[in-house]
Amino acid sequence: MSTITTTQAPPPAPQASPTTGADEVAVRTAISSIARPPNANPLSAALAFGWRGMLKIKHVPEQLLDVTITPVLFVVMFTYLFGGAISGSTGDYLDYLLPGILVMSVLFTTIYSGVALNTDLTKGVVDRFRSLPIWRPAPLLGSLLGDSVRYVLAGTVIIVVGLILGFRPGAGVIGVIAALGLVVIFAVGMSWVFATLGLLLRSPSAVLNAGFLGIFPLTFLSNVFVEPETLPAGLEAFVEVNPISILVTASRGLMEGNAQAGDILIVLAVAAALTAVFAPLTTRLYRKH
Amino acid sequence: MTLQPPLAIEATGLVKSFGKTRAVDGVDLTVRRGSVYGVLGPNGAGKTTTIRMLATLIGPDAGSGRVFGHDIVEDANAVRGIVSLTGQLASVDEELTGRENLILLGRLLGLKRPEAKERAGELLEAFGLVEAAGRLVKHYSGGMRRRLDIAASIVVTPQLMFLDEPTTGLDPRSRNQVWSIVRALVAEGTTILLCTQYLEEADQLADRIAVIDRGKVIAEGTPAELKASVGSGSLHVRLLDPEQRLDAARVLDRELGAVTLDADPAALSAAGADADRAAEAVAELTRSDVRIADFSLGQPSLDEVFLALTGHLADASAEHADPIEVEQAA
Ligand SMILES: Nc1ncnc2c1ncn2[C@@H]1O[C@H](COP(=O)(O)OP(=O)(O)OP(=O)(O)O)[C@@H](O)[C@H]1O
Ligand SMILES: [Mg+2]
């Protein structure tokens, strides 16, 4: 065995080198050298899964681009194409548009939580997780933790692009952070919905399609781009009760320093309601899967 | 001393259906601690489904099972605390590195962060994965992935380990490595339930074997008992000219009986051959002007075990190796 030598080791399919391969004695030592620790507590199990989520962002940072590139294009396009016509100046329109785009891009990102969960299920690793003596909801809560980081990063990208283009929020840094925080809380509520979809549908692309089918009309039939008053009456009524509109209004308010407490409460209530319904559903589906 | 439950697995009448498919149809298993128990069967026999029930991933529709005395339904969490699963699909995270996979499992199994790191290092070393430790698992070769998978299963040593087709798709070298790891595990006292499609693998590793087909155990015993029930080895012949296969089949059928045509169009096998009769049959082939590329006397293949045990061939390979009707062909 030890006389085998290889001449090359191309990265994608590493060849055995003289030192690779399991060593039976070392394996035996490794087996006998560990005592079973007490089971992981719920928090550290969830945190370990959160760490897993971060590692995935670290290994494939491009995935953030996938979801932010469209919103960034929207910001640039709308600001320069319509900014002058709608608000008189591009700077004014950007102040109006950016909170909406922030909401849109973070909500797009939530779809990927469902997609990632569905992708996971097609891999054998979930079977291993489910065969571990851990608190049942830990994998879901942990990935939610990782996802929240993703939402913050996606939101930050949009805000930075806006600042470069001339976005000047009236309430300064605090306002922007508060708005981002609110959007992320709402996104966490939404991601339970997509997690449920992710467990119900057959393939990652089905989740992606269903997700966009739901999110696209909701974001476009909201006040992300234009004030509802400019719309036909029936549409206006829908736009006004659309929770995404309320979230956008609240974020604009926070960024400008004139937020209505009522809007913020509605957003928090919707997020809580989505979580209350879909989190237990997701956990139950995950357990059965 | 506490009284230890004598059996690692005790399952009776396990049933699991998916829609109309009865994937597992009344399986009984008795596995002693410290042994390697082979579950042998073709594609779709119900091996994975049986493992998934015993590892508490899915509940049985009927029947019951105990793992080291713990009920797999009532006491699922206790079962999870003492088993580990190396699934048929690699049960490691492809989007993490090898080292990260092991640290993650260490953390999930209750090790503190520094302990988990140290344990990961130790296992990477033992399994010859140090160089690959920092690479994403999706870039690993099949053999490396399997080794990592098994390493992940012993981050904390389990009392019972499920190994689902650990060598399917591996080259002989990687297969031998996996076998030596399995032997090391057994030597350290871990009980192993090994699913496989290969009689040779079960023969090499298992103390006892259950042959399952269409969700039912159709034979059970030690490898020697099983082989004896099938008869002696079988003669494998490969011809220079595939055109002569039917002629060869006729000769072998007369000399030995139970001829099967292999997937290779120039190859065929005949069961029930001891060395003398095989030599005689080969001589007879030569006398009949059938030109032989090579021949060997081997263990009965899984196909032959099936043929002998069930009278029908394993479904998955049916299209490759139909039992031939020599009279019709003639
Ligand atoms: N989740 C599922 N949904 C529907 N059918 C299933 C499911 N899992 C297994 N089956 C069916 O149950 C039967 C037994 O499958 P199982 O995976 O247990 O077989 P196996 O012996 O592990 O086969 P293989 O050697 O191919 O891995 C097959 O017919 C399979 O199609
Ligand atoms: Mg299987």
Side-chain angles (χ1 to χ4, degrees), chain B residues 16-70:
Chain B
K16 184 77 196 177
S17 303
F18 298 104
K20 281 190 187 142
T21 325
R22 271 175 101 81
V24 174
D25 193 5
V27 163
D28 300 337
L29 286 179
T30 307
V31 178
R32 277 184 305 108
R33 2 167 102 221
S35 66
V36 179
Y37 195 91
V39 174
L40 183 66
N43 290 127
K47 304 183 293 295
T48 301
T49 309
T50 304
I51 282 195
R52 287 170 61 85
M53 283 190 277
L54 293 171
T56 77
L57 300 181
I58 47 176
D61 295 340
S64 66
R66 290 184 164 273
V67 171
F68 283 84
H70 304 291

Side-chain angles (χ1 to χ4, degrees), chain B residues 17 38 53 60 92 146 148 152 165 181 218-219 242 271 279 286 295:
Chain B
S17 303
M53 283 190 277
V92 284
R146 262 300 161 195
L148 179 69
E165 301 197 23
I181 294 169
I218 55 172
T286 316
F295 66 90

